[in-house]
Amino acid sequence: MTTDISSHVISCHCYCLPFDDIDTDQIIPGQFLTTTQREGLGAFCFHSWRHDESGSALDEHPLTEFDNSRHQVLVAGRNFGCGSSREHAPWALLDMGVRAVISSRFADIFFNNALKNGLLPITLDEAVVEFLHQHPHHPVKIDIQSRSIEIEGHGSFEFPLDPFAAHCIIEGIDQMDFILQQDALIRQHEERRPG
Amino acid sequence: MGQTLFEKIWDAHLVRPAGSAEGDGAPAIIYIDLHLIHEVTSPQAFTELESRGLPVRRPDLCLATIDHSTPTLPAGADGKRPYITEAARVQVETVQENCAKHGIELHGWDSPNRGIVHVMGPELGATQPGMTIVCGDSHTSTHGAFGALAFGIGTTEVGHVLATQCLLQNKPKTLGIQVEGELAEGVTAKDVILHIIGAIGVDGGTGYVIEYFGSAIRGLDMEGRMTLCNMSIECGARAGMVAPDEKTYAWLKGRSHAPKDEAWDRAVERWRQLPTDADARFDRLVEIRAEDIEPSITWGTNPGMVIGISENIPDRHDPAATDAQSYMHLKPGQQLQGEKVDVVFIGSCTNSRISDLRAAAGVMRGRKVADGTRVLVVPGSEIIRREAEAEGLHQVFIDAGAEWRLAGCSMCLAMNGDMAQAGELVVSTSNRNFKGRQGRGARTVLASPLTAAASAVTGRVTDPRSLAGEVQ
Ligand code: SF4
């Protein structure tokens, strides 16, 4: 596994979670939302998958073989991140060592939340996702600059990424600063709004 | 060509159009009229502001409450609230401190108006037609019932709005959902939205803002429209909206945060311009016949796994269905009606308003909760709680053997300690039946207040139309 920050390339192996509609309640259950921090949520990521009803850790679960020194990309089914808007979901994934998630379709709010935190949501055709599901732990190389993913022995695929979001990740642009810089326009709007 | 309700609001709130900067290709920047805040998704955003030394730009456009982590049992003799954990107490205290420090109106324990954020906003008249409304909560779509553009955001964006009163937004597409005809007796707004989600799927609305219209939608009262818009997010939509009309204005008039006197008249005049023009077009259109909708319930582990209550659960054997059936302890093709019910939850921002409580009380009046079934009734706000108590609804519930609680989210997401046990079947008026949402291993069936109340008294999943009498 290598992550070259300067060239924005992630080379690693995929980890497959071949389930559709993985909701943010699964990613980080409600009981862990009482935190007032962003950090430390990785330990609770997919908690209810990894523990039985009495709270004891399970030996076998969908993440048994997940190893963040090897796997930095999750490959999920369709509609990943649906449900609650909790940004705790991308925080937990990042904290667990995940840098990117592949799905054929992401839920809207999760997609935004992920990008805002530098977690890459990579949308690929269902057939490509299916290939990855059939080849667990497959090596891939993701290039943020060219918005493409190279799947070893299968081909190179472009994925859609809001150019501005990509630009912000690559250039390290802070979106809050970017909006703050529009102060003159914001003031103009405030002057013309009713009430 | 004319414009849709959504397009009119979008255009009126554009601070900076998309991609206007040379080469930065930034999304549009839109202005936010109302920012709703609660304890769970705001602390990290306030911390961010603090670390940058920034003030809240428009505390006057923020409105805060405590609802998610709050206990629904009253304080004990020692005056202490029974928080589930120390962390929950700290979270509530953190939002109190943040709001006090930044001059934000907060309805905390000492406010008679405290309530679930999406119940309280409309109730105070803070939610108004034509507004842009955001909250760090996906069910912000509720406020679209008033003809507002309202949607959920993440905590980073909560920070953006606190600091700038603006958001970077890609323009969504529009989806028109037309429901024509008359709803049958016993069929409520909850059944309509469950039916819609079942029809278009849990990601059928992704990338869209929905506008609901047609005679069946016009026929709904404001509370029904809130229930409808509330669950728009469950089909993946960014927001759901209903055009404002006379019902909207009548409902809002006189509420504490609504405009007064001449300002009211001016506002109504503005609001009348909002409805979608006759020649406007939606990017996509879905038509639903009101006659096709019966009381609807979910059988699986997402809100799109829906059946009419008289139907059998689908005879599906695909991995998603098999997984859901196994979690729910159900078999393909079986009836769900008649299954034993352990818990009934009547509450949440979907169905905890006074009309929901009246409907449930109508079914439970003079009846008893079935042996072996636990029933929790949680009003959406303290105003609703007092209103229900003034009407004696609470007594109906208590006499039947149900628990009557303080306002809050409660068992909707079960983070305050109100929860079901593993394996228990819960008939719930809330909005999400995800695995473990209402407690580890708890099996949730989403339903209307009528269906929930009918199931409470029989102890079985029950079609409310099958109980003689009271069903209004
Ligand atoms: S009632 Fe449920 S859905 Fe509504 S705001 Fe509270 S937790 Fe969210």
Side-chain angles (χ1 to χ4, degrees):
Chain A
M1 176 224 44
T2 54
T3 305
D4 180 348
I5 301 295
S6 60
S7 65
H8 301 278
V9 171
I10 305 171
S11 292
C12 67
H13 294 261
C14 292
Y15 193 83
C16 294
L17 295 174
F19 317 113
D20 289 346
D21 307 313
I22 296 177
D23 57 76
T24 53
D25 275 77
Q26 307 305 314
I27 302 170
I28 183 80
Q31 68 195 99
F32 303 111
L33 302 185
T34 48
T35 177
T36 53
Q37 321 280 317
R38 290 173 189 247
E39 297 76 24
L41 287 165
F44 310 120
C45 201
F46 296 109
H47 187 270
S48 48
W49 292 9
R50 303 199 281 187
H51 297 81
D52 69 11
E53 280 152 12
S54 66
S56 328
L58 293 165
D59 294 336
E60 284 289 321
H61 54 78
L63 287 135
T64 311
E65 293 176 55
F66 178 79
D67 168 4
N68 64 9
S69 67
R70 229 183 129 210
H71 306 112
Q72 290 195 306
V73 179
L74 291 184
V75 188
R78 181 187 159 105
N79 197 29
F80 186 83
C82 59
S84 154
S85 62
R86 59 189 71 165
E87 201 161 310
H88 309 68
W91 296 339
L93 289 166
L94 283 163
D95 198 53
M96 193 171 76
V98 177
R99 316 297 311 170
V101 182
I102 296 172
S103 172
S104 60
R105 181 183 250 180
F106 285 92
D108 197 30
I109 304 180
F110 177 85
F111 191 91
N112 268 319
N113 283 344
L115 277 179
K116 296 255 183 311
N117 289 277
L119 174 71
L120 268 189
I122 298 177
T123 314
L124 296 176
D125 278 350
E126 219 142 294
V128 181
V129 177
E130 194 46 44
F131 172 87
L132 290 170
H133 283 161
Q134 278 159 16
H135 298 78
H137 313 290
H138 201 75
V140 294
K141 190 164 154 196
I142 298 162
D143 186 335
I144 304 170
Q145 194 103 40
S146 65
R147 288 170 229 153
S148 65
I149 177 166
E150 207 183 301
I151 301 176
E152 205 177 281
H154 192 60
S156 188
F157 304 87
E158 282 188 25
F159 55 86
L161 193 59
D162 170 5
F164 181 70
H167 178 71
C168 290
I169 293 175
I170 293 165
E171 304 294 330
I173 290 172
D174 181 86
Q175 297 196 359
M176 192 191 284
D177 278 346
F178 180 85
I179 311 174
L180 283 166
Q181 281 160 20
Q182 317 299 322
D183 190 58
L185 290 174
I186 301 173
R187 275 172 205 279
Q188 280 171 29
H189 180 87
E190 282 176 334
E191 274 157 32
R192 61 173 189 266
R193 63 189 285 274
Chain B
M1 197 173 70
Q3 284 191 305
T4 62
L5 166 63
F6 161 74
E7 286 160 345
K8 292 179 193 187
I9 299 178
W10 177 270
D11 285 358
H13 289 82
L14 263 187
V15 166
R16 182 182 191 265
S20 62
E22 317 67 43
D24 74 4
I29 296 180
I30 61 166
Y31 196 83
I32 302 304
D33 296 320
L34 175 64
H35 184 193
L36 299 162
I37 291 168
H38 64 81
E39 74 275 26
V40 181
T41 54
S42 65
Q44 296 87 350
F46 280 109
T47 307
E48 182 71 27
L49 250 68
E50 210 107 300
S51 72
R52 292 169 186 246
L54 290 169
V56 173
R57 182 182 179 97
R58 293 294 300 266
D60 58 320
L61 302 184
C62 298
L63 181 64
T65 187
I66 50 175
D67 53 2
H68 285 66
S69 328
T70 49
T72 54
L73 285 170
D78 56 358
K80 288 211 175 98
R81 302 258 168 206
Y83 285 103
I84 174 78
T85 56
E86 182 60 13
R89 192 183 57 76
V90 169
Q91 196 170 55
V92 167
E93 284 172 3
T94 303
V95 78
Q96 285 169 336
E97 283 159 24
N98 283 325
C99 288
K101 186 149 146 205
H102 294 280
I104 292 170
E105 178 180 335
L106 166 78
H107 293 276
W109 289 120
D110 54 353
S111 167
N113 301 331
R114 190 184 66 80
I116 303 175
V117 61
H118 310 308
V119 175
M120 189 184 86
E123 196 168 62
L124 297 182
T127 298
Q128 293 161 25
M131 278 184 163
T132 47
I133 301 175
V134 297
C135 174
D137 194 285
S138 56
H139 293 98
T140 309
S141 57
T142 313
H143 308 262
F146 292 80
L149 173 60
F151 54 89
I153 56 177
T155 297
T156 299
E157 291 179 314
V158 169
H160 292 179
V161 179
L162 287 174
T164 70
Q165 205 57 34
C166 288
L167 270 182
L168 285 157
Q169 277 292 297
N170 289 309
K171 191 175 180 179
K173 290 178 287 185
T174 54
L175 167 59
I177 296 187
Q178 183 172 14
V179 190
E180 293 292 349
E182 231 178 279
L183 297 176
E185 195 179 306
V187 176
T188 68
K190 179 62 162 288
D191 304 300
V192 175
I193 188 62
L194 285 172
H195 180 90
I196 290 173
I197 300 164
I200 72 172
V202 274
D203 59 356
T206 303
Y208 292 94
V209 163
I210 299 175
E211 180 177 339
Y212 303 96
F213 66 102
S215 55
I217 305 299
R218 284 280 137 248
L220 293 175
D221 60 16
M222 290 314 296
E223 309 201 333
R225 294 178 190 179
M226 284 188 253
T227 301
L228 182 79
C229 289
N230 173 275
M231 287 191 73
S232 304
I233 182 68
E234 306 312 335
C235 62
R238 195 101 185 93
M241 328 173 75
V242 174
D245 60 12
E246 295 310 315
K247 286 185 188 173
T248 317
Y249 314 141
W251 200 91
L252 279 175
K253 196 168 186 184
R255 293 187 184 258
S256 63
H257 290 50
K260 308 259 166 347
D261 309 320
E262 297 94 76
W264 170 263
D265 296 336
R266 280 198 308 275
V268 173
E269 205 172 302
R270 255 191 351 261
W271 296 342
R272 288 193 202 285
Q273 312 304 314
L274 288 168
T276 294
D277 299 325
D279 56 344
R281 258 196 239 125
F282 295 102
D283 294 313
R284 192 181 145 207
L285 189 66
V286 169
E287 291 172 51
I288 306 269
R289 284 161 28 121
E291 292 76 19
D292 293 343
I293 309 175
E294 64 166 336
S296 298
I297 50 175
T298 60
W299 57 268
T301 52
N302 72 50
M305 293 172 162
V306 170
I307 48 172
I309 194 155
S310 68
E311 294 172 341
N312 294 351
I313 76 165
D315 198 6
R316 273 171 53 184
H317 299 267
D318 54 284
T322 306
D323 182 63
Q325 287 152 359
S326 121
Y327 181 84
M328 293 296 291
H329 306 180
L330 296 169
K331 301 218 160 41
Q334 79 162 86
Q335 276 262 309
L336 182 48
Q337 223 185 141
E339 279 293 300
K340 177 168 184 320
V341 174
D342 302 295
V343 182
V344 171
F345 172 61
I346 297 172
S348 90
C349 58
T350 313
N351 283 122
S352 62
R353 298 181 183 81
I354 192 70
S355 56
D356 300 314
L357 301 184
R358 284 181 192 138
V363 175
M364 289 169 75
R365 183 169 288 120
R367 294 192 166 110
K368 289 278 179 224
V369 169
D371 280 348
T373 304
R374 176 183 176 212
V375 180
L376 205 62
V377 187
V378 186
S381 73
E382 288 298 296
I383 291 180
I384 293 169
R385 184 169 68 87
R386 289 193 302 276
E387 203 175 346
E389 290 179 359
E391 289 179 24
L393 302 181
H394 70 311
Q395 209 52 54
V396 174
F397 297 126
I398 292 167
D399 289 348
E403 296 171 50
W404 174 245
R405 297 292 188 93
L406 301 181
C409 297
S410 181
M411 205 192 278
C412 173
L413 93 164
M415 72 176 282
N416 74 333
D418 298 344
M419 58 166 71
Q421 301 305 309
E424 286 187 330
L425 189 82
V426 188
V427 175
S428 178
T429 67
S430 57
N431 43 52
R432 285 187 175 141
N433 53 342
F434 298 147
K435 286 181 189 169
R437 168 92 175 177
Q438 299 193 289
R440 236 3 253 288
R443 305 177 291 144
T444 302
V445 171
L446 300 177
S448 75
L450 289 177
T451 305
S455 304
V457 297
T458 61
R460 307 264 156 193
V461 176
T462 298
D463 184 338
R465 298 169 301 185
S466 71
L467 290 184
E470 290 90 344
V471 176
Q472 296 116 358

